[in-house]
Amino acid sequence: MGKSLNIFINKKILIYGLGKSGLSAFKFLKNKSNIFLYDDLKSNIENQNIKKNLISYKNILKLKFDQIILSPGIDINKCKLSKFLKKNYHKIYSDLDIFYAFYKNDCITITGTNGKSTTCQLLYEVLMSQKFNVKLVGNIGNPILSAKNIKKKTIFVVEASSYQLEYSKIFRSKYAAILNLSPDHIERHKTINKYVSAKFKLLKNQFKGHFAFVKKNDVLIKKELRSNRFNSKIIKVNNKKIKSFLKNIDNNYFLTETNKENLSFVLEISKKLNIKNNLLIKAIKNFKGLKYRQQIIFKKNNLIIINDSKSTSFSSSIGVLKINPNIYWLLGGVYKRGDKFNLPKKYFGKINAFIYGKNKKFFNKELQGKIKHENFNNLNDALKKVFVTIKKHDSIDQTILFSPSAASFDSFKNFEDRGHYFNKLIKKYLNGKQNINI
């Protein structure tokens, strides 16, 4: 633990945001520094164990803090402490920075617009099959500071969002991957350049001897690589090379372009970790994916039903729209600012879109002249029409694809809530008699 990085001991620290990452940072630091806690939401401060460390808005403005640990979900432009944070931006750090200050374990950090969670989960299962001491942490749901029983040989697979990387200052990862980039979170980052810059901070912080894996032929990634010099070795990942490998893999999960891309990154990273090939293949064959991420929940006769509730942009739906003939595509929700529908023209004829919700105007405009589409008030009405339609063509292969291409918070708590609701509807329309993989 170098003194230059040990900046979180015996300091006056404000932790702003008391969700999972904020509370894990508090538990980690509470016996190491003088910690003050603040959150905009009253529901997050009802925990009796933190009340003595809470500080009021007025007292925050009176004190001088050494560091401010900011939870990823907080937008400094839209929070109660906005002016204070902007004035003290140089003091803002993330939970990733705290981790790096105390541990020197190897990290494999995955970021990108689409596929982060699936890639992290697959890589984690591959490493587990090889008997690595590995922890799966980060944006996937387990704060990095909540990890227990850390040993010198422990490897961390970290899912990192643009929000986490934007606030981090000292975090470095020996292995880093940017899976892909397309416009996302523009409402927060304001411009695509700022969003890309947040992602590439992961590479800019790497040392010589580190490895960076990036998607080959990604327009935004290529542009950023041309504009900057990096210390790490850049490895360009081409998912077209994976076709021969997949000949030995009987797993429908890797039919989509997106999941082939995720697997391509895992294979390239595995080459640097001395992975045993037989165990690698076994782990990939057994991989079932994550809930609500291009998840095949029903497959019988000539009907496949896919729950891809995690899809929050057109780019996240494109891969799965390419795989099956006769797709009945359900989409709708809160669209992403700057999002564009860029599916190649050759796929247009095999897709029928069923648009639901309040933002139909946006989706109609994007699909106009490309995909045949209808509008519905809600998901239930749209799915009802889908089942009426497929009954007329039950002699051919058909796919019901729930891939909303939009955020869920207009009608649901989150994408999990939305995915669960879709599964309930499917059970209803299949009369509850069929097996559904939920």
Side-chain angles (χ1 to χ4, degrees):
M1 184 161 37
K3 286 187 178 180
S4 61
L5 292 178
N6 192 4
I7 58 174
F8 300 104
I9 290 180
N10 297 326
K11 303 292 184 180
K12 189 181 291 183
I13 299 174
L14 172 66
I15 297 177
Y16 184 14
L18 301 177
K20 283 185 178 180
S21 65
L23 289 177
S24 67
F26 169 60
K27 290 177 183 177
F28 188 87
L29 291 173
K30 65 181 181 180
N31 296 321
K32 300 176 179 70
S33 280
N34 190 14
I35 307 298
F36 299 84
L37 305 174
Y38 185 79
D39 196 294
D40 291 347
L41 299 175
K42 288 185 179 180
S43 59
N44 283 342
I45 60 177
E46 294 175 355
N47 187 330
Q48 296 296 322
N49 296 324
I50 67 172
K51 286 198 170 182
K52 66 179 182 180
N53 294 85
L54 292 172
I55 186 172
S56 68
Y57 174 83
K58 289 182 179 179
N59 285 334
I60 286 175
L61 302 181
K62 294 176 184 177
L63 293 178
K64 286 188 177 182
F65 297 97
D66 296 302
Q67 285 94 27
I68 301 166
I69 309 303
L70 199 55
S71 292
I74 292 175
D75 183 348
I76 65 170
N77 295 302
K78 297 178 181 178
C79 62
K80 290 182 180 179
L81 293 180
S82 182
K83 288 183 180 179
F84 171 80
L85 292 176
K86 289 176 180 178
K87 183 180 177 181
N88 293 278
Y89 194 83
H90 62 288
K91 296 181 180 179
I92 293 176
Y93 293 84
S94 72
D95 59 343
L96 294 178
D97 295 322
I98 298 171
F99 171 84
Y100 187 75
F102 286 89
Y103 298 103
K104 292 297 172 281
N105 295 69
D106 285 347
C107 289
I108 307 168
T109 306
I110 311 292
T111 194
T113 303
N114 301 308
K116 297 185 294 296
S117 296
T118 298
T119 305
C120 285
Q121 183 67 36
L122 176 57
L123 183 59
Y124 172 74
E125 291 185 20
V126 165
L127 294 178
M128 285 290 288
S129 73
Q130 309 277 328
K131 306 300 181 185
F132 277 78
N133 185 324
V134 58
K135 307 286 184 183
L136 179 61
V137 296
N139 201 49
I140 199 167
N142 310 308
I144 195 166
L145 295 176
S146 66
K148 307 293 183 186
N149 302 317
I150 300 170
K151 298 178 172 61
K152 285 184 178 181
K153 291 185 178 180
T154 302
I155 292 178
F156 285 80
V157 175
V158 185
E159 180 185 336
S161 69
S162 59
Y163 299 163
Q164 287 172 300
L165 295 172
E166 180 184 34
Y167 291 146
S168 70
K169 286 186 169 64
I170 64 172
F171 176 72
R172 287 182 174 85
S173 184
K174 182 176 181 180
Y175 306 93
I178 301 179
L179 304 180
N180 48 63
L181 289 177
S182 57
D184 200 9
H185 302 306
I186 304 303
E187 70 285 349
R188 165 87 171 250
H189 293 289
K190 305 305 179 187
T191 69
I192 184 65
N193 287 337
K194 289 182 179 178
Y195 170 68
V196 172
S197 180
K199 295 289 192 182
F200 263 86
K201 186 183 281 189
L202 187 59
L203 272 61
K204 288 176 181 177
N205 284 354
Q206 286 188 298
F207 290 140
K208 189 175 181 180
H210 288 181
F211 298 92
F213 304 83
V214 299
K215 181 181 178 180
K216 186 178 182 180
N217 297 325
D218 184 291
V219 175
L220 292 172
I221 289 175
K222 284 171 72 175
K223 181 182 176 183
E224 197 69 12
L225 289 176
R226 286 195 301 265
S227 304
N228 296 278
R229 296 183 69 180
F230 300 94
N231 294 318
S232 55
K233 180 177 176 57
I234 306 294
I235 298 167
K236 296 178 181 178
V237 179
N238 184 358
N239 69 328
K240 291 181 180 178
K241 292 181 178 181
I242 206 169
K243 287 183 180 179
S244 58
F245 178 85
L246 283 174
K247 289 178 181 178
N248 300 316
I249 304 296
D250 182 19
N251 188 336
N252 289 330
Y253 193 77
F254 297 107
L255 291 176
T256 70
E257 189 174 279
T258 305
N259 288 328
K260 287 177 184 175
E261 184 176 289
N262 298 337
L263 177 57
S264 296
F265 274 86
V266 171
L267 294 179
E268 288 296 333
I269 294 169
S270 296
K271 289 177 184 177
K272 303 298 178 185
L273 300 174
N274 297 319
I275 296 294
K276 294 177 182 176
N277 198 52
N278 62 323
L279 295 176
L280 170 70
I281 291 173
K282 185 178 179 181
I284 293 169
K285 283 182 176 179
N286 293 333
F287 185 65
K288 292 180 172 60
L290 294 166
K291 270 191 172 184
Y292 315 134
R293 294 165 171 88
Q294 300 184 9
Q295 181 188 17
I296 297 173
I297 61 169
F298 179 82
K299 186 177 181 182
K300 189 174 182 181
N301 299 328
N302 51 9
L303 177 62
I304 295 174
I305 303 176
I306 300 174
N307 188 337
D308 188 30
S309 178
K310 183 64 170 68
S311 163
T312 57
S313 65
F314 282 127
S315 64
S316 59
S317 298
I318 294 298
V320 72
L321 283 170
K322 293 179 179 180
I323 59 164
N324 295 326
N326 306 311
I327 291 177
Y328 301 92
W329 178 26
L330 296 135
L331 72 157
V334 183
Y335 61 88
K336 292 289 180 74
R337 188 176 136 199
D339 201 12
K340 296 292 180 184
F341 183 64
N342 293 319
L343 182 72
K345 188 176 181 179
K346 65 180 180 179
Y347 297 100
F348 290 175
K350 69 173 186 175
I351 301 168
N352 288 283
F354 299 77
I355 301 168
Y356 67 88
K358 298 176 182 177
N359 295 301
K360 293 184 281 289
K361 185 177 179 180
F362 168 81
F363 295 103
N364 283 322
K365 183 180 178 182
E366 285 297 316
L367 300 187
Q368 191 66 41
K370 300 176 181 177
I371 302 291
K372 184 180 177 182
H373 56 278
E374 299 177 61
N375 295 320
F376 301 87
N377 289 326
N378 54 57
L379 178 57
N380 186 28
D381 290 346
L383 189 58
K384 184 177 181 180
K385 181 61 183 292
V386 168
F387 271 94
V388 169
T389 306
I390 64 173
K391 284 180 181 177
K392 296 177 182 178
H393 310 285
D394 60 4
S395 62
I396 60 174
D397 290 339
Q398 300 178 97
T399 299
I400 298 174
L401 171 63
F402 179 48
S403 189
S405 299
S408 59
F409 53 80
D410 57 334
S411 304
F412 303 93
K413 293 177 184 177
N414 48 45
F415 78 88
E416 289 101 338
D417 184 38
R418 179 168 66 181
H420 179 68
Y421 176 70
F422 178 74
N423 281 352
K424 285 176 65 177
L425 290 179
I426 291 297
K427 274 192 171 183
K428 181 179 79 170
Y429 285 107
L430 293 176
N431 299 315
K433 296 177 182 178
Q434 307 289 349
N435 289 325
I436 300 175
N437 179 23
I438 58 175

